[in-house]
Amino acid sequence: MMPFGGIASKLRIDRLKADGVGSHDNASKYLNQDYESLKQQCLESGTLFEDPHFPTITSSLGFKELGPGSSKVQGVRWKRPGEIVGDPQFIIGGATRTDIKQGALGDCWLLAAIGSLTLNEDLLHRVVPHGQSFQEDYAGIFHFQIWQFGEWVDVVIDDRLPVKDGELVFVHSAECSEFWSALLEKAYAKLNGSYEALSGGSTTEGFEDFTGGVAEMYELRKAPRGLDKIIKRALERGSLLGCSIDITSAYDMEAVTFKKLVKGHAYSVTALKEVNYRGQVEQLIRIRNPWGEVEWIGAWSDNSSEWNEVDPSEREDLRLKMEDGEFWMSFQEFLRQFNRLEICNLTPDALDKDGLSKWHTTVYEGTWRRGSTAGGCRNNPATFWINPQFKITLLEEDDDPDDNELACSSLVALMQKHRRKERRAGGDMHTIGFAVYEVPDEFKGCQNVHLKKDFFLRHQSCARSETFINLREVSNQVRLPPGEYIIVPSTFEAHKEGDFVLRVFTEKHSEIQELDEEVSADLPDEEEISEDDVDDSFKNMFQQLAGDDMEISVFELRTILNRVISRHKDLKTDGFSMESCRQIVNLMDKDGSGKLGVVEFQIMWNKIRNWLTLFRKYDLDKSGTMSSYELRMALESEGFKLNNKLIQVLVARYADNEMGVDFDNFVCCLVKLEAMFRFFKAMDQEGGNSVVMNLGEWLTLTMCG
């Protein structure tokens, strides 16, 4: 169960976001480190900053290939730039894409993104703030702003970098005295837990984290018509573009083809131009290898004969701007040689094909939790319905005179959070995707509803992600008629835990809300009985059980309940614990004696008999335990409507490691829920769905539970 400290921290973060913290102009401070105050402390004390949150130890390098004991980390020392070269510089003559050379880390995807970032100075300095230097007010501290899962964070680092044999181990600049790119890589490694966590990835991941934009992916074997126009428009708008060649086996990784293209390697696209060639218009595309070397040697490469057929002024204009590792090739050859193109649109309005209107943006954060909200894809019909559900209302169709279809354009992007950090513990990216359903007539206009299993068994999706894939983000353009729709994001397999961000971009104004139950309880009136209402046979039984004091203590209750439950062989249970029985007594004890009298025991006994019937009814597979989603249905049948957060809390508290709820925990759950709802109702005298209590009342309530 989430501790109170965790809940308080979550509430604090929600309030900060509501106040605008996390926007680019007001980035949240990663690990609460404030760059300006830390720098000032160092300047006043005359010391150089040493980052306690990302220390110069092997675990900051990695955990496996770069972990303790690995030969690759032997001899690595951490040095400040001033210990590596005589006159270190942050940026020399402005940042350019040749400032970035790959080191001993498979993060070419990140380098391709950084390289593309240098093509747009405004974008670059959103990530690399101005005013950083090794000369003025140098204190060994730097900072960078990086977009992470819906918010901008300011990441502080010290400038101690991994060095081996006198050279930087990872990213370095062609200018050996320039260090901005190496320091940016370090900030990114800190965000993800280690340098090794950056190995392997999609260029779009880096694109999005440096821009806050949204990415699209195109399979070049199935390239849409007009892809050249899409690329040209994207370049004109300053979008970031990357491309790659698929690998077919592990042996292919970074294998070089006979024309010097590298498989499984992230390239960036830097230009698209037309030239006159032999009386025809030839379309050329410029590609950059972040290694800064190993270039295409086919047609239109640096020294190919095709250039001899191009007007000298045109030729010089194109080739003057060439950098190391950069090359031209024909657009048709590009489509044949490469498999995938990735485009990161810097702002939602960059997605608009005619530039006349802006897209509306909505961001939601959600969680998949085993047993409560991690239902898996449609292949898991018993649990798919428990996934989080988001309702989108598309109000107006697009303005497109050339399109006869009445449709609303939207882009749905589902991103999983923090998965690189999980690599140290053996985790990695989940396989994720989403499905879209039309809202049935009976639920149109409703918000406080969570669609159940039967709905998804009877209805097909009207749109979905093209595939479930183990990338950080999956996105798809979706065109649907005006109306109400449900988006269901999920992992491919059920019971996979993770956090996610769902971003929805719509061309026209739309309304989007998470669908969840409004918390309520439709409880019967409390059983009002007196001792005279208790029949004699029950009194006799009670007298034998209670002894001379005619009250049942926690210890006696445990003996009674476990004796009864042991007779029901169809129930799997390890019996009622002392803690369970103490909770039952605390919550059923009306006179504050700490024990149950005959009337209290009769009421409790009636409840348990009813709950036993309920348990058997919703133990659908007759396993003897109740699965977490069977629990959800059972609670609803008892009148409890609970939202996803409450279901998560109940599952964390009452389910075992296999997500099963045995009978004793089922009883405790119902006792607790009923008591808490009745307490709230008693306090809410005006029926306003809110109560005010003092500290003593709050402590009494929570300690009792």
Side-chain angles (χ1 to χ4, degrees), residues 13 26-27 30 58 79 83 191 242 367 420 422 498 502 580 586 640 665 698:
I13 290 168
N26 190 12
Y30 187 60
T58 308
K79 294 185 177 182
E83 299 169 323
L191 262 183
T367 59
R420 287 190 179 275
E422 298 294 320
L502 180 71
S580 298
N586 283 344
F640 296 105
N665 276 308
W698 165 252

Side-chain angles (χ1 to χ4, degrees), residues 24 112-127 147 152 203-216 230-231 233-242 269 342-352 358-359 361 411 473 503 505:
H24 186 267
I114 297 174
S116 292
L117 193 63
T118 63
L119 299 173
N120 184 318
E121 192 171 353
D122 290 338
L123 278 180
L124 176 75
H125 287 294
R126 282 161 62 93
V127 176
W147 186 87
W152 285 91
T203 309
T204 54
E205 195 172 333
F207 283 170
E208 293 187 338
D209 287 352
F210 296 143
T211 66
V214 61
E216 296 179 275
I230 292 171
I231 293 172
R233 194 164 57 243
L235 288 165
E236 287 169 353
R237 288 174 173 154
S239 299
L240 307 183
L241 291 85
V269 176
E342 297 162 309
I343 300 177
C344 181
N345 299 284
L346 301 183
T347 52
D349 55 300
L351 292 170
D352 179 42
K358 288 196 172 186
W359 286 56
T361 313
L411 186 138
E473 183 176 63
R503 295 188 289 167
F505 304 90

Side-chain angles (χ1 to χ4, degrees), residues 43 51 94 128 131 157 184 186 205 213 224 280 329 352 362 375 386 408 437 456 499 514 523 535 620 659:
L43 291 172
D51 186 2
V128 185
I157 56 164
L184 173 55
K186 180 175 182 178
E205 195 172 333
Q280 301 286 328
M329 66 194 309
D352 179 42
T362 309
I386 70 174
C408 307
Y437 296 82
F456 295 105
D499 300 326
E514 182 171 5
L523 299 176
D535 65 43
L620 301 176
M659 292 295 109

Side-chain angles (χ1 to χ4, degrees), residues 66 129 159 175 269 283 330 367 387 405 498 544 553 597 601 624 630 647 701:
L66 298 175
D159 63 350
E175 296 275 356
V269 176
Q283 215 166 24
S330 80
T367 59
N387 284 302
E405 184 184 4
Q544 292 173 21
S553 68
F601 187 72
E630 289 169 343
I647 293 293
L701 171 65

Side-chain angles (χ1 to χ4, degrees), residues 147-149 188 204-206 208-209 414-420 429-430 432 469-474:
W147 186 87
Q148 286 284 279
F149 315 117
Y188 207 72
T204 54
E205 195 172 333
E208 293 187 338
D209 287 352
L414 173 64
M415 177 185 291
Q416 50 189 320
K417 298 171 66 173
H418 309 306
R419 297 309 301 172
R420 287 190 179 275
M429 298 292 181
H430 290 317
I432 61 170
I469 194 166
N470 60 339
L471 292 177
R472 186 178 72 161
E473 183 176 63
V474 57

Side-chain angles (χ1 to χ4, degrees), residues 2 69 81 235 266 289 361 392 475 482 554 569 700:
M2 184 184 285
L235 288 165
N289 182 348
T361 313
I392 175 171
S475 66
V554 171
K569 303 300 183 185
T700 301

Side-chain angles (χ1 to χ4, degrees), residues 185-198:
E185 183 191 41
K186 180 175 182 178
Y188 207 72
K190 177 180 175 177
L191 262 183
N192 287 282
S194 69
Y195 277 93
E196 188 174 352
L198 304 183

